[in-house]
Amino acid sequence: MQLQLVVVETGQTWRRALLRMVWDPKNATNHSDYGSFERQGSSSSSSSNNLSEDNKQLRALPLSPLHSQEPTTSSMSDTDLIQRQPLLPLPAKNGHHITVEYEEGPDDHSEDDGRSAGGKANGVVKINITKTDREEQRYPKEKWKTLMAFFCFCFGFVMSTASLSLTHERVPDRDTYPPLPDISFEILPEVRGALDVSEIVIMISTNTAFLVMIFHKHRFIVLRRMFLIVSLLYLMRSVTMYVTVLPMSNTYYYCSPKSNGTTTPWLLATRVWQLMSGFGLSINGKHTYCGDFIYSGHTVVLVISYLFINEYSPDSPKRLFQLLSWLSFVSSGVAIFMVVLARGHYTIDILIAYFVTTRTFWIYHTLANNASLKKSGPHNYLARAWWFPIFRYFEGNVGVKVPRQHEWPLPWPRRFLHKPPNRNS
């Protein structure tokens, strides 16, 4: 429809210009840019005698104002002007400019944009585009943010162990307060060695999830998300375990003696260091403080390991990593079941841990994968989460969903690399 309007508006001028572009010989003696026009009396007048009468009339068309000939009073349509213009610099996009330069060819010796005195033009148009890394723009590494997320993870872990050290002093005496009624305890038998099996599965699951993240192409983004989500979960757990202290769920677990109200900063720091040195596990004999029930830390680690393996494992070979995801799901379920058999936690601890972990993970990734949800507004209720400002700082520059792409993380051996390593990364 737009072309029809142009034809009606320009009339005979458009048809004549089109015929001129088709029938006019494009050689160096006439012009050097496609679609330009010559007037009568130019250097090509001798050859125009051989043309038909219509073509001679077409040669009387005025020159483009872009050329350096004397001005003319003839009119020119916008379409003719556009066709006679040289390449112009493209507009800036995202702050990166695209420039156009003209280089003289081997036969060019003049200074008039590659046009020699005899009209021969071998000029080369060179387009210089500022080198940009589109992958880096869409998935910025931002290593300093990953480091800050690691510090947040350490802070959350320290707060959780400090809360456990204080909660240990408030645990009810097991001789006076028996375990609370629990439907799982009434149905399932007690197996004392089951907690060790659960913690072995925890170590395998966490190492597997860590390898998946290390081999991910955008490992800094994935690690940053893992550090931040786990730190949020442990910060919330440090509050819930302290505000409500439940009686011991078993009768055989060893608890260190209490300080009887004389908890000093030095004693608190000693307990925190002991728990952190054992990574919060009882299998190494370092977890001897009781009261960390609501909610289950074992369940948090098992569920979050499965969620990261399922979300960021490679797409190919598909069957292999589908099997890995299913094995992680089954092993996590078995390990949680072992926690119940060992009476390490009440059933309510496990249910709350599953609910909080999955919802935090899903809400975080929903916000991260939708750019419109990264802005707070009256209709974005997800932005009302207390940790939303923290999330927006760490995820503000990640534009789209992180793909399941993996690569060899080391610069050696080179046979494992699909392309030469990026020395600037």
Side-chain angles (χ1 to χ4, degrees), residues 77-96:
S77 66
D78 294 338
T79 306
D80 297 336
L81 180 61
I82 293 174
Q83 291 180 354
R84 300 180 192 186
Q85 285 179 343
L87 289 175
L88 297 177
L90 298 179
K93 184 177 182 181
N94 297 331
H96 301 286

Side-chain angles (χ1 to χ4, degrees), residues 1-11 14-15 79:
M1 181 61 68
Q2 183 178 1
L3 180 59
Q4 292 177 0
L5 292 176
V6 171
V7 172
V8 172
E9 188 177 61
T10 57
W14 167 261
R15 289 192 291 270
T79 306

Side-chain angles (χ1 to χ4, degrees), residues 6-237:
V6 171
V7 172
V8 172
E9 188 177 61
T10 57
Q12 188 67 21
T13 305
W14 167 261
R15 289 192 291 270
R16 293 173 64 188
L18 182 61
L19 289 174
R20 177 64 174 168
M21 294 178 63
V22 173
W23 292 107
D24 188 33
K26 308 296 184 294
N27 50 42
T29 59
N30 288 330
H31 46 71
S32 59
D33 57 325
Y34 187 85
S36 62
F37 301 92
E38 296 285 348
R39 295 186 307 175
Q40 286 181 339
S42 62
S43 60
S44 59
S45 59
S46 60
S47 60
S48 64
N49 295 329
N50 299 327
L51 299 176
S52 63
E53 186 65 26
D54 291 338
N55 287 342
K56 290 180 180 181
Q57 294 178 359
L58 291 177
R59 281 193 173 275
L61 290 173
L63 278 171
S64 169
L66 299 176
H67 293 176
S68 58
Q69 285 81 355
E70 62 273 16
T72 179
T73 59
S74 301
S75 61
M76 180 187 307
S77 66
D78 294 338
T79 306
D80 297 336
L81 180 61
I82 293 174
Q83 291 180 354
R84 300 180 192 186
Q85 285 179 343
L87 289 175
L88 297 177
L90 298 179
K93 184 177 182 181
N94 297 331
H96 301 286
H97 296 276
I98 301 177
T99 59
V100 179
E101 296 179 357
Y102 293 92
E103 292 185 356
E104 295 184 357
D107 297 331
D108 296 328
H109 303 286
S110 66
E111 298 179 357
D112 188 13
D113 293 338
R115 295 183 181 88
S116 60
K120 188 175 181 180
N122 291 326
V124 179
V125 177
K126 179 182 179 182
I127 301 177
N128 294 327
I129 303 177
T130 305
K131 184 178 180 181
T132 59
D133 192 352
R134 186 177 181 183
E135 192 81 0
E136 187 69 19
Q137 291 177 358
R138 299 179 66 189
Y139 310 106
K141 294 181 180 180
E142 296 179 314
K143 299 179 182 179
W144 71 93
K145 288 187 179 180
T146 305
L147 182 62
M148 292 180 63
F150 176 74
F151 290 150
C152 291
F153 166 76
C154 294
F155 176 74
F157 192 52
V158 170
M159 291 299 296
S160 179
T161 54
S163 177
L164 175 57
S165 302
L166 297 175
T167 303
H168 175 74
E169 300 295 325
R170 304 173 59 225
V171 175
D173 187 3
R174 70 178 69 187
D175 295 333
T176 306
Y177 298 93
L180 297 175
D182 192 290
I183 187 64
S184 299
F185 295 173
E186 297 175 4
I187 297 175
L188 301 173
E190 181 178 353
V191 181
R192 295 194 175 186
L195 188 62
D196 294 341
V197 176
S198 175
E199 293 184 346
I200 292 174
V201 175
I202 285 176
M203 290 187 286
I204 297 174
S205 297
T206 53
N207 287 311
T208 303
F210 185 74
L211 288 176
V212 169
M213 290 182 285
I214 286 296
F215 280 88
H216 199 281
K217 183 176 181 180
H218 308 292
R219 60 188 64 90
F220 291 101
I221 298 177
V222 179
L223 287 171
R224 185 162 64 240
R225 292 178 176 179
M226 188 273 294
F227 290 144
L228 188 58
I229 292 175
V230 175
S231 64
L232 295 175
L233 293 171
Y234 270 90
L235 281 174
M236 292 186 288
R237 183 172 181 261

Side-chain angles (χ1 to χ4, degrees), residues 115-398:
R115 295 183 181 88
S116 60
K120 188 175 181 180
N122 291 326
V124 179
V125 177
K126 179 182 179 182
I127 301 177
N128 294 327
I129 303 177
T130 305
K131 184 178 180 181
T132 59
D133 192 352
R134 186 177 181 183
E135 192 81 0
E136 187 69 19
Q137 291 177 358
R138 299 179 66 189
Y139 310 106
K141 294 181 180 180
E142 296 179 314
K143 299 179 182 179
W144 71 93
K145 288 187 179 180
T146 305
L147 182 62
M148 292 180 63
F150 176 74
F151 290 150
C152 291
F153 166 76
C154 294
F155 176 74
F157 192 52
V158 170
M159 291 299 296
S160 179
T161 54
S163 177
L164 175 57
S165 302
L166 297 175
T167 303
H168 175 74
E169 300 295 325
R170 304 173 59 225
V171 175
D173 187 3
R174 70 178 69 187
D175 295 333
T176 306
Y177 298 93
L180 297 175
D182 192 290
I183 187 64
S184 299
F185 295 173
E186 297 175 4
I187 297 175
L188 301 173
E190 181 178 353
V191 181
R192 295 194 175 186
L195 188 62
D196 294 341
V197 176
S198 175
E199 293 184 346
I200 292 174
V201 175
I202 285 176
M203 290 187 286
I204 297 174
S205 297
T206 53
N207 287 311
T208 303
F210 185 74
L211 288 176
V212 169
M213 290 182 285
I214 286 296
F215 280 88
H216 199 281
K217 183 176 181 180
H218 308 292
R219 60 188 64 90
F220 291 101
I221 298 177
V222 179
L223 287 171
R224 185 162 64 240
R225 292 178 176 179
M226 188 273 294
F227 290 144
L228 188 58
I229 292 175
V230 175
S231 64
L232 295 175
L233 293 171
Y234 270 90
L235 281 174
M236 292 186 288
R237 183 172 181 261
S238 65
V239 175
T240 57
M241 77 167 68
Y242 183 78
V243 296
T244 301
V245 183
L246 303 181
M248 290 298 297
S249 57
N250 54 41
T251 57
Y252 67 89
Y253 192 84
Y254 173 76
C255 297
S256 297
K258 299 180 181 180
S259 62
N260 296 324
T262 59
T263 303
T264 61
W266 174 253
L267 179 62
L268 181 63
T270 303
R271 290 179 176 180
V272 169
W273 175 253
Q274 179 180 341
L275 290 168
M276 292 185 63
S277 62
F279 297 99
L281 301 176
S282 60
I283 193 173
N284 49 31
K286 298 297 182 66
H287 193 298
T288 59
Y289 303 102
C290 303
D292 55 337
F293 289 112
I294 300 176
Y295 42 86
S296 172
H298 289 70
T299 305
V300 167
V301 175
L302 289 168
V303 172
I304 203 67
S305 297
Y306 162 71
L307 291 174
F308 270 92
I309 292 173
N310 183 66
E311 179 69 20
Y312 295 105
S313 58
D315 284 331
S316 61
K318 186 174 181 180
R319 292 185 177 180
L320 176 61
F321 290 101
Q322 281 184 345
L323 178 62
L324 175 63
S325 180
W326 277 104
L327 286 176
S328 177
F329 175 79
V330 173
S331 62
S332 297
V334 171
I336 294 172
F337 182 72
M338 290 294 175
V339 173
V340 178
L341 289 180
R343 306 294 192 264
H345 280 280
Y346 292 101
T347 306
I348 189 63
D349 303 341
I350 295 172
L351 293 178
I352 294 176
Y354 169 79
F355 184 85
V356 174
T357 304
T358 53
R359 270 58 187 178
T360 303
F361 181 89
W362 292 336
I363 292 174
Y364 188 99
H365 283 77
T366 299
L367 293 171
N369 295 337
N370 295 274
S372 60
L373 298 179
K374 294 181 180 180
K375 299 179 181 179
S376 58
H379 303 292
N380 184 12
Y381 289 91
L382 296 179
R384 300 184 182 183
W386 65 270
W387 45 266
F388 181 77
I390 304 174
F391 157 82
R392 187 164 56 181
Y393 171 75
F394 283 99
E395 294 286 341
N397 296 329
V398 181

